[in-house]
């Protein structure tokens, strides 16, 4: 089919459409005129759409913003402007322009008023997305204008108008403009205004074309209307759209350039992080100027980055991007493991962790054993334990709370009992923090006399007392352990005080029996008092005297 034949076919079909449209022209014009006249209903719907859009933007809710698009009445006056330009009806054009400007001012004013609320949250994506318009927005507005105008002309397509209202989104940019003005964000406000203006002009231009082509306005291909008439109808809109398209294209190019640079930056960082086991890029924040780049890279890593490593990465980044860079690595320590244990850890780090684990296990065992031995001394409690030095020069320092200082003899006894756990020639130091505890009647754990250091015959006497008491306790009280022996002489003879750990309180009859044995083997004028600390060891068969050394030696052999 030749060009002339195709032209004749299109002309014939257009003539049919125009002939049908002449019959409905009056109804269509009246419908558009009603939508373009500002009245009470128009302003009420504009105010409600402004409120919905403003709080939808503040709450960052897409669903609420879509609801504001459906309620907004601003599309009608734009079609009135298009019809007024197409037909040369200046009265309709003036009313439609007033309605559009008044509705826009109402939306901006209400949004700005709500934007002054002190509890206003920071701007989120729903607001920021409407402050950087691109060429895509003009294309969307043109398509929406064509669809909207066609839906008005064809009654069967009127159901598409709500979809057109959502696509053009006239109220949300105006609400964004008001919020940005209230916050003093002039650059963001200019972007929102430009988006609204682009939507308005593009829809008006597209609707004008549809109305003219469909015959609502007197424009015919056959009549070949003169160039001045075409310029009068479409010239201003074309100029404005061209200027905005150029500007928005620059914005689009900048946005694409930013995305491309961001991908390039992430790729360069990922290539360097791939050389470190277990390190992976989580997020990148950067600030770029003409000749400098500041980068903060958030990295998930099993071990933090050293300054030397960051310096090498910074030099490599400068080479890859051809920019002077300032790199900061924010290390987020992550622990990865499989069924065999930690992964992505160097041999040195793994060895260090094993050493720390062994040290913690040893100190826990030592602390537990020392606590059990100290518990038999009234009022004494282990607070802390540290190991200093290595090999034969190790010093175990135990800090305890006690009503009276721990004596050298008590420390020596503790060393003997802990020998299976202590290294060869390791020394035990006990730091006593004096603590006085009291109830409503007296101080607890208070001695009537200060313990004296023993010398000469007193040492032999103490050893004899301990020997006889230990033997008698083993014979008369199952599971009893002698913890401490104290004595003093007075006018009545020798007074002996023994502290024992027993499964139950020793009866006076048993104490009397032990006292007689002491009177026979040690001294006739001897009196005995026994303090029973009930904490016995028991097996499934009987009460026992359990020596922790056996268990500790077995553990050492296993290790």
């Amino acid at each position: 089919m030749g060009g002339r034949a195709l032209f004749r076919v299109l002309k014939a079909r257009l003539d049919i459409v125009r002939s049908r449209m002449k019959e409905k022209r009056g109804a269509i014009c009246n419908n558009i005129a009603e939508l373009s006249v500002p009245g009470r209903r128009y302003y009420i719907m504009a105010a409600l759409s402004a409120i919905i859009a403003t709080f939808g933007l503040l709450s960052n809710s897409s669903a609420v913003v879509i609801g504001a698009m459906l309620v907004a009445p601003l599309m009608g006056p734009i079609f009135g402007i298009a019809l007024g330009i197409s037909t040369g009806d200046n009265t309709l054009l003036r009313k439609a322009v007033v309605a559009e400007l008044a509705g826009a001012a109402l939306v901006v004013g209400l949004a700005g008023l709500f934007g002054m609320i002190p509890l206003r949250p920071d701007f989120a994506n729903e607001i920021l997305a409407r402050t950087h318009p691109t060429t895509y927005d003009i294309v969307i507005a043109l398509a929406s204008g064509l669809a909207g105008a066609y839906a008005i002309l064809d009654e069967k397509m009127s159901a598409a108008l709500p979809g057109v209202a959502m696509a053009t989104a006239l109220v949300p940019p105006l609400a964004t403009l008001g919020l940005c003005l209230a916050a003093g964000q002039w650059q963001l406000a200019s972007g929102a205004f430009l988006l609204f203006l682009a939507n308005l002009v593009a829809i008006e231009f597209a609707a004008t074309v549809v109305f003219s082509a469909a015959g609502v306005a007197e424009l015919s291909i056959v009549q070949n209307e003169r160039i001045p008439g075409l310029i009068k109808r479409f010239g201003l809109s074309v100029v404005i759209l061209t200027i905005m398209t150029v500007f928005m294209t620059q914005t689009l190019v900048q946005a694409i350039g930013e995305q491309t640079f961001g991908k390039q930056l992430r790729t360069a960082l990922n290539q360097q992080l791939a050389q470190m086991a277990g390190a992976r890029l989580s997020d990148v924040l950067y600030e770029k100027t003409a000749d400098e780049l500041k980068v903060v890279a958030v990295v998930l890593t099993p071990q933090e980055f050293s300054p030397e490593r960051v310096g090498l990465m910074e030099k490599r980044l400068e080479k890859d991007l051809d920019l002077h860079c300032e790199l900061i690595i924010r290390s987020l320590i992550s622990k990865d493991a499989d069924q065999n244990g930690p992964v992505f850890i160097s041999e040195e780090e793994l060895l260090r962790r094993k050493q720390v684990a062994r040290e913690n296990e040893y100190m826990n065992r030592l602390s537990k054993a020392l606590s059990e031995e100290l518990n038999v001394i009234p009022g004494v409690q282990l607070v802390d334990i540290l190991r200093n030095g290595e090999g034969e020069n190790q010093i175990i320092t135990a800090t305890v709370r006690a009503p009276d200082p721990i004596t050298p003899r008590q420390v020596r006894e503790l060393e003997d009992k802990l020998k299976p756990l202590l290294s060869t020639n390791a020394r035990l130091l006990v730091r006593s923090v004096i603590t006085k505890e009291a109830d409503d009647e007296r101080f607890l754990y208070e001695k009537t006399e200060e313990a004296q250091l023993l010398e000469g015959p007193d040492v032999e006497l103490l050893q004899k007392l301990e020997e006889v008491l230990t033997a008698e306790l083993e014979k008369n009280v199952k599971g009893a352990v002698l913890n401490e022996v104290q004595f003093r002489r007075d006018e009545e003879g020798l007074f002996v005080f023994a502290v024992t750990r027993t499964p139950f309180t020793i009866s006076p009859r048993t104490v009397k029996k032990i006292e007689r044995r002491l009177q026979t083997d040690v001294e006739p004028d001897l009196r005995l008092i026994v303090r029973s600390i009930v904490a016995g060891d028991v097996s499934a068969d009987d009460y026992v005297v359990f020596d922790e050394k056996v268990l500790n030696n077995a553990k050492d052999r296993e290790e």
Side-chain angles (χ1 to χ4, degrees):
M1 182 181 292
R4 292 183 179 180
L6 178 62
F7 178 78
R8 284 196 297 270
V9 171
L10 292 176
K11 177 180 177 300
R13 291 184 179 180
L14 183 60
D15 289 340
I16 295 173
V17 173
R18 289 172 60 82
S19 62
R20 293 177 180 176
M21 192 56 61
K22 287 180 180 180
E23 302 174 0
K24 299 188 296 183
R25 182 186 302 171
I28 293 174
C29 291
N30 291 333
N31 183 26
I32 296 176
E34 289 179 1
L35 295 175
S36 305
V37 177
R40 183 175 61 182
R41 183 182 304 172
Y42 174 82
Y43 290 118
I44 290 175
M45 296 305 292
L48 292 176
S49 65
I51 295 172
I52 296 172
T54 300
F55 286 97
L57 293 169
L58 290 175
S59 62
N60 199 35
S61 173
S62 301
V64 177
V65 175
I66 291 173
M69 300 175 192
L70 293 173
V71 175
L74 299 184
M75 179 73 77
I78 297 179
F79 289 143
I81 295 173
L83 184 61
I85 293 175
S86 301
T87 60
D89 187 347
N90 293 330
T91 301
L92 176 60
L93 177 61
R94 184 169 51 255
K95 290 181 179 180
V97 170
V98 171
E100 188 68 20
L101 294 179
L106 179 60
V107 174
V108 173
L110 287 175
L113 182 63
F114 292 126
M116 296 180 183
I117 297 175
L119 298 179
R120 173 181 56 80
D122 293 334
F123 290 168
N125 293 335
E126 286 293 330
I127 294 178
L128 297 178
R130 291 170 172 82
T131 58
H132 298 87
T134 66
T135 312
Y136 296 155
D137 295 297
I138 292 181
V139 176
I140 294 171
L142 286 171
S144 300
L146 293 172
Y150 183 68
I152 286 181
L153 299 180
D154 191 344
E155 295 178 355
K156 295 180 179 180
M157 298 297 297
S158 59
L161 281 175
V164 174
M166 286 191 292
T168 52
L170 294 169
V171 170
L174 291 172
T176 300
L177 172 60
L179 292 173
C180 293
L181 291 176
Q185 299 287 343
W186 312 117
Q187 185 174 359
L188 298 180
S190 63
F193 174 74
L194 183 61
L195 177 59
F196 167 74
L197 184 61
N199 286 337
L200 188 152
V201 176
I203 294 171
E204 174 270 320
F205 175 77
T208 302
V209 172
V210 172
F211 293 155
S212 299
V216 177
E218 290 297 331
L219 177 62
S220 173
I221 296 178
V222 177
Q223 294 175 357
N224 206 6
E225 192 175 84
R226 291 182 300 174
I227 299 299
L230 291 173
I231 294 176
K232 181 179 179 181
R233 295 190 181 190
F234 303 107
L236 181 61
S237 300
V238 171
V239 171
I240 295 176
L241 279 177
T242 302
I243 295 174
M244 288 192 298
T245 300
V246 172
F247 181 81
M248 291 183 177
T249 301
Q250 293 178 350
T251 304
L252 179 61
V253 170
Q254 291 177 357
I256 294 175
E258 286 292 327
Q259 292 179 358
T260 303
F261 179 79
K263 292 179 180 179
Q264 185 180 2
L265 175 60
R266 295 183 72 93
T267 300
L269 289 171
N270 280 322
Q271 288 176 350
Q272 298 194 54
L273 292 175
Q275 302 173 11
M276 297 190 64
R280 54 192 181 276
L281 188 64
S282 174
D283 194 12
V284 178
L285 306 174
Y286 68 90
E287 180 181 351
K288 181 184 175 185
T289 59
D291 55 354
E292 187 176 11
L293 176 66
K294 296 181 179 180
V295 182
V296 177
V298 182
V299 180
L300 297 175
T301 172
Q303 51 191 351
E304 65 182 15
F305 280 64
S306 64
E308 294 78 9
R309 182 68 181 178
V310 176
L312 293 175
M313 293 181 63
E314 187 176 80
K315 292 180 181 178
R316 178 65 183 275
L317 202 61
E318 289 180 345
K319 182 179 179 181
D320 292 341
L321 301 178
D322 195 22
L323 274 174
H324 176 68
C325 297
E326 180 182 342
L327 177 64
I328 297 175
I329 299 292
R330 181 173 298 160
S331 300
L332 300 182
I333 305 301
S334 61
K335 304 296 184 181
D336 299 322
D338 58 15
Q339 60 181 352
N340 299 319
V343 295
F344 304 130
I345 297 179
S346 62
E347 292 294 334
E348 295 79 5
E349 176 66 14
L350 192 58
L351 179 60
R352 187 190 67 82
R353 291 190 179 187
K354 289 182 179 179
Q355 291 174 345
V356 170
R358 286 197 297 268
E359 176 69 13
N360 290 338
E361 183 181 0
Y362 170 75
M363 294 304 292
N364 287 336
R365 288 167 50 202
L366 185 60
S367 175
K368 181 179 179 181
L370 185 58
S371 296
E372 291 177 354
E373 296 298 334
L374 290 173
N375 283 341
V376 301
I377 305 177
V380 177
Q381 182 180 5
L382 180 64
V383 176
D384 191 18
I385 185 170
L386 298 173
R387 178 163 69 165
N388 298 315
E390 296 181 357
E392 298 182 356
N393 297 320
Q394 290 187 32
I395 298 177
I396 306 297
T397 303
T399 302
V400 300
R401 286 200 296 263
D404 298 288
I406 302 298
T407 65
R409 182 175 65 83
Q410 291 173 315
V411 175
R412 186 165 55 252
E413 292 175 352
L414 289 172
E415 277 186 343
D416 292 339
K417 294 178 180 179
L418 297 175
K419 269 185 180 180
L421 288 177
L422 297 175
S423 303
T424 305
N425 296 328
R427 296 178 57 202
L428 175 64
L429 299 181
V430 179
R431 180 178 294 126
S432 300
V433 179
I434 306 304
T435 304
K436 294 292 186 181
E437 299 181 29
D439 57 15
D440 57 351
E441 296 180 354
R442 61 185 179 85
F443 285 104
L444 304 178
Y445 314 117
E446 191 173 41
K447 296 181 180 179
T448 55
E449 294 184 9
E450 291 292 332
Q452 302 293 328
L453 294 178
L454 302 181
E455 297 180 355
D458 288 342
V459 175
E460 298 178 0
L461 176 59
L462 179 60
Q463 293 176 349
K464 184 65 174 177
L465 289 171
E466 290 178 343
E467 178 182 348
V468 175
L469 281 168
T470 300
E472 289 299 311
L473 285 172
E474 291 179 354
K475 183 169 61 175
N476 293 284
V477 183
K478 290 184 179 181
V481 177
L482 179 64
N483 290 327
E484 185 179 0
V485 178
Q486 297 182 21
F487 65 88
R488 73 167 186 270
R489 295 187 182 277
D490 55 20
E491 297 178 355
E492 299 180 1
L494 181 63
F495 172 74
V496 178
F497 176 72
V499 179
T500 64
R501 186 179 67 191
T502 59
F504 47 83
T505 304
I506 299 177
S507 66
R509 181 178 178 181
T510 303
V511 173
K512 183 64 176 177
K513 185 176 180 180
I514 297 173
E515 184 181 69
R516 289 175 180 172
R517 184 65 182 179
L518 288 170
Q519 290 173 348
T520 301
D521 295 349
V522 179
E523 191 169 320
D525 296 330
L526 185 144
R527 291 168 297 149
L528 174 64
I529 293 180
V530 178
R531 172 178 292 170
S532 295
I533 298 176
V534 179
D537 300 318
V538 63
S539 69
D541 300 322
D542 204 349
Y543 291 106
V544 296
V545 178
F546 182 71
D547 190 353
E548 292 87 345
K549 298 177 182 179
V550 177
L551 181 59
N552 293 332
N553 288 335
K555 287 184 178 180
D556 291 336
R557 286 195 298 271
E558 291 177 0
E559 295 176 356

